[in-house]
Amino acid sequence: MDYTIIDAHSHLWLRQETTWNGMPIRTLENGRSFFLTEEVQMIPPFMIDGKNSAEVFLSNMNYAQVGAAVVVQEYIDGLQNDYLEVVKSKYPDRFFVFGMCDYFNPGIVEQARQLINRGFKGIAIPGHRLFLNDRRVMLNTPEMMEMFHLMENNNMILSICLAENNLQLGEIKEVIEECPDLKIAIGHFGMVTAPGWEYQIKLALNPNVMIESGGITWLFNSEFYPFNGAVKAIREAIDMVGAEKLMWGSDYPRTITAITYKMSYDFVCKTTELTDNEKRLFLGDNAKSFYGFGNLPHLPYIKNMSE
């Protein structure tokens, strides 16, 4: 394997201690968390202290020969700006990290300015979490649009995951039209297992929009490895918008409770449904260009003891 591998969708935190929609998320022991209403295996059980740290991720990346990773943010993990600021300072060549604002309260433009001043080059919006029992945050409010223009003027990147069933399609189209120079990465492969997913994919027909596949193995978890449905979806997306518009993402670490980190991309390497060039673009070359990664480390294959 001689592909450049870059993970375009991952998460880091030292501890989960937050709420969403009035329900708690908190770190327990042995990789488990209390999530909303139940105890779940949030991360692999060997992460006994619950810390999903950059150092553990780098060990997984080095083993799987992943040169760099993009770290996005999610409401269910709590705001991780402070920790990610440390990560980007400590490992600038291996991680591109996104800041995040508190979109449920006023003042997001000022928060975005502060993130810019702190050196963040992108802002993440978990759009599928902007729906509460008693409230919905629209992407095209005046304050949100002001933030997007601020990001555009400062050459920042927007990472956004959209709700399924195209509930936010009209809103994001307005953002794309208003901010044609704002670089946008749409996650979760358009919620590929939901009806109408192709409409999210086709947003990448706009020159400033990319699609990343973070969570695709979660979405196709019921069929499991080698994720033939996911491969078929990648093939369909390439036919819709072109291989140069798509990026691989793992959604680490939650997805590796079911599979190993390397399994989250090597099903792409092994398929015969994609050409070598399509694999090369999808697995790393597109992300390297889009996020501006420089020289990546040489990560030789290390033989497993079990081989």
Side-chain angles (χ1 to χ4, degrees), residues 25-65:
I25 301 102
R26 63 178 185 272
T27 296
L28 302 176
E29 296 179 335
N30 302 321
R32 297 177 182 177
S33 292
F34 189 84
F35 179 67
L36 307 180
T37 60
E38 61 182 342
E39 185 174 315
V40 299
Q41 193 71 48
M42 182 68 66
I43 54 180
F46 54 77
M47 294 182 180
I48 58 174
D49 59 1
K51 291 183 179 180
N52 170 34
S53 70
E55 287 73 23
V56 171
F57 191 18
L58 280 169
S59 182
N60 273 285
M61 289 165 61
N62 292 343
Y63 170 75
Q65 298 172 279

Side-chain angles (χ1 to χ4, degrees), residues 109 112-113 116 120-123 144-159 174-184 207-208:
V109 176
R113 285 198 183 96
I116 293 169
F120 285 91
K121 296 179 181 178
I123 292 177
M144 292 288 272
M145 295 302 292
E146 185 179 352
M147 182 187 74
F148 294 136
H149 281 295
L150 177 67
M151 293 175 63
E152 182 183 34
N153 293 336
N154 283 273
N155 299 313
M156 298 188 81
I157 299 176
L158 169 65
S159 169
E174 186 174 335
V175 174
I176 293 168
E177 183 177 352
E178 282 279 320
C179 303
D181 295 321
L182 174 62
K183 295 171 69 174
I184 301 173
N208 57 324

Side-chain angles (χ1 to χ4, degrees), residues 6 15 30 37 41 47 80 156 206 225 227 239 243 251 262 277 292:
I6 294 176
R15 186 171 182 82
N30 302 321
T37 60
Q41 193 71 48
M47 294 182 180
Q80 297 294 330
M156 298 188 81
N206 293 281
Y225 190 89
F227 303 109
D239 293 340
D251 213 1
K262 188 171 183 178
N277 186 56

Side-chain angles (χ1 to χ4, degrees), residues 210-225:
M210 299 285 285
I211 305 292
E212 46 94 338
S213 73
I216 199 168
T217 60
W218 151 61
L219 291 165
F220 285 95
N221 183 63
S222 61
E223 69 175 34
F224 206 63
Y225 190 89

